[in-house]
Amino acid sequence: MLAKPFSDPENQDSEPYNFFGFGLNDFEKPHPQAQIGCALSNPMQSGKTTNSNSEDNKSSQNLSRREREFVRACSDVQDVCANDAKTLCYYPPYLSKTTLPISQTIDLTFSRMNGDLRLTLTANPDSGLPYGIIARKIITHLTTYAITNKTPVVPVKSMRALCKDLGMTPGGNKYKIIDDMLHRLIGATMFVELKVKKDDEDININRCGILDSIRIEKDGEETNHITLDDKFYQLCEKSAAPLDSRVLEALSGALEFDVYVFLLARLLSVRQTTRIRWDDFMLQFGSNSNNARSAKQYLKKAIDRILIIQPQMKVHYTNDLVILEPSISPIKTKKGAYIIPNTPKDNDD
């Protein structure tokens, strides 16, 4: 059975951001490995000059493990699309247009708006709101399995197996963190409000949970499972957002995850230049007047990093605006819409 909810206030996104100092001009360079090597060992940044490739090679060898993984991911993602690489994964439709909390909060309600959509998340007082990258990984894993296999029941052999499925190395306090987040997810209720104006009426509210049941016992390998809430599963089955798991693995933390999902969802329907004011863009990801300046810098860096690995996404920004241009989708989809497995293929965009 699930253990007592883990209440350690450790920030799951405490790992510092490392955006490598890329600028927008770097996005046009032809090969991601050369691109990243140049950004990491830019002579203009270090004050040194070189006429030899040996120093660049030495710099590449000195990359951290995470940086090397990012280099490999850039190459893999740009060489083979997610459909052919079989790395498609899926995220719930409303959560792709809004977000979950980035970090732990004492609040028991969380609300986000996106156009005519408002999503409000309420928590069980005994567990609190789901937050951080672990919650997002769990939701992505469960949604992907449910859609791919056409069932809301996701088998989970053990907590160790679930940890591996989430791309995490088993051990340490990982099980407690996952266990805590499962409690938060099963205790959460979503209220989805869509403005639909008809006959002077302007209300359409649906309520659903995220998880319906959890069974993970030491001796229950054959019967252990996590079951999605039925309404939540139907929403996902109808219009889940397709993502590339290789991109998600390469990105750092919940903020980059949210920006990638949000931008991809918007770009799939953009048919003309779309301009978003920075104030509105920042509100989408939870900034306020007290942290607006730093939030803007983090979001710029997140966009830069995402565009390194997904250069097909035509996004740029000025001091005042985030600008989206019609883009070739990095994932094969129907025009302007999401697809799910076993859908008859249309012509590529």
Side-chain angles (χ1 to χ4, degrees):
M1 298 294 291
L2 289 173
K4 182 179 179 180
F6 181 56
S7 58
D8 191 327
E10 177 186 359
N11 186 348
Q12 295 180 26
D13 298 311
S14 60
E15 181 177 353
Y17 284 94
N18 184 354
F19 295 102
F20 314 128
F22 289 117
L24 287 174
N25 292 333
D26 294 316
F27 299 153
E28 298 177 357
K29 296 182 180 179
H31 195 280
Q33 291 185 339
Q35 179 178 316
I36 293 176
C38 290
L40 289 171
S41 58
N42 189 337
M44 298 300 292
Q45 294 177 351
S46 63
K48 299 179 181 179
T49 60
T50 177
N51 295 319
S52 170
N53 291 331
S54 61
E55 292 190 18
D56 288 340
N57 292 335
K58 182 177 180 181
S59 176
S60 297
Q61 293 172 359
N62 290 334
L63 298 181
S64 70
R65 178 184 60 82
R66 191 169 189 83
E67 289 165 348
R68 291 196 300 271
E69 289 175 352
F70 187 77
V71 170
R72 286 195 296 269
C74 286
S75 180
D76 292 344
V77 169
Q78 294 178 35
D79 287 346
V80 185
C81 75
N83 308 69
D84 295 335
K86 301 187 184 304
T87 55
L88 279 178
C89 60
Y90 298 89
Y91 201 62
Y94 293 140
L95 290 180
S96 67
K97 296 179 180 179
T98 58
T99 61
L100 294 173
I102 292 286
S103 57
Q104 189 170 9
T105 174
I106 61 173
D107 296 333
L108 296 178
T109 61
F110 175 84
S111 185
R112 283 285 182 271
M113 289 192 66
N114 186 337
D116 291 335
L117 168 68
R118 178 194 292 272
L119 183 142
T120 302
L121 198 65
T122 64
N124 180 338
D126 293 334
S127 53
L129 288 166
Y131 68 94
I133 191 62
I134 304 302
R136 289 158 172 80
K137 285 185 175 184
I138 292 173
I139 291 172
T140 304
H141 170 67
L142 298 178
T143 302
T144 301
Y145 184 95
I147 290 176
T148 304
N149 294 277
K150 300 183 180 300
T151 174
V153 181
V154 182
V156 179
K157 291 185 177 181
S158 65
M159 190 64 77
R160 179 181 178 84
L162 178 58
C163 192
K164 288 183 176 180
D165 288 337
L166 300 179
M168 302 166 61
T169 303
N173 65 348
K174 302 288 179 61
Y175 302 153
K176 289 183 178 180
I177 294 174
I178 294 173
D179 186 61
D180 170 54
M181 208 52 60
L182 289 172
H183 272 89
R184 293 171 183 269
L185 287 168
I186 200 170
T189 301
M190 291 171 47
F191 294 87
V192 180
E193 180 179 352
L194 287 171
K195 293 182 180 180
V196 181
K197 294 183 179 181
K198 184 178 180 181
D199 299 330
D200 296 326
E201 294 183 2
D202 189 10
I203 187 169
N204 184 352
I205 302 176
N206 291 287
R207 182 185 68 177
C208 67
I210 298 176
L211 304 185
D212 180 70
S213 64
I214 302 171
R215 174 191 170 96
I216 305 178
E217 298 180 347
K218 289 183 178 180
D219 299 325
E221 182 173 318
E222 298 300 324
T223 56
N224 287 344
H225 65 272
I226 297 174
T227 304
L228 298 179
D229 176 89
D230 188 58
K231 287 185 178 179
F232 183 79
Y233 168 66
Q234 290 177 27
L235 288 173
C236 293
E237 189 179 37
K238 183 178 180 181
S239 57
L243 308 171
D244 189 336
S245 63
R246 297 169 299 175
V247 176
L248 296 180
E249 291 169 4
L251 298 179
S252 300
L255 179 63
E256 288 188 10
F257 182 105
D258 288 345
V259 175
Y260 166 65
V261 172
F262 174 80
L263 288 177
L264 185 55
R266 287 297 300 268
L267 286 169
L268 285 172
S269 60
V270 166
R271 292 295 175 262
Q272 60 185 2
T273 300
T274 301
R275 296 172 176 85
I276 306 173
R277 294 186 307 168
W278 264 112
D279 288 346
D280 294 333
F281 193 78
M282 289 189 292
L283 283 174
Q284 181 69 34
F285 301 97
S287 69
N288 54 50
S289 58
N290 295 326
N291 67 357
R293 185 171 181 177
S294 60
K296 187 174 182 179
Q297 292 304 312
Y298 276 126
L299 286 167
K300 284 181 177 179
K301 291 176 181 178
I303 292 172
D304 290 352
R305 184 170 163 91
I306 290 164
L307 294 184
I308 289 294
I309 195 168
Q310 294 273 235
Q312 306 96 322
M313 299 169 67
K314 294 183 180 180
V315 181
H316 59 280
Y317 51 77
T318 66
N319 288 334
D320 303 316
L321 300 168
V322 178
I323 302 170
L324 312 182
E325 302 281 358
S327 306
I328 298 174
S329 173
I331 297 174
K332 296 178 184 178
T333 68
K334 292 182 178 179
K335 293 183 178 181
Y338 298 129
I339 58 170
I340 59 177
N342 301 322
T343 300
K345 293 183 179 179
D346 287 355
N347 292 332
D348 295 346
D349 289 350

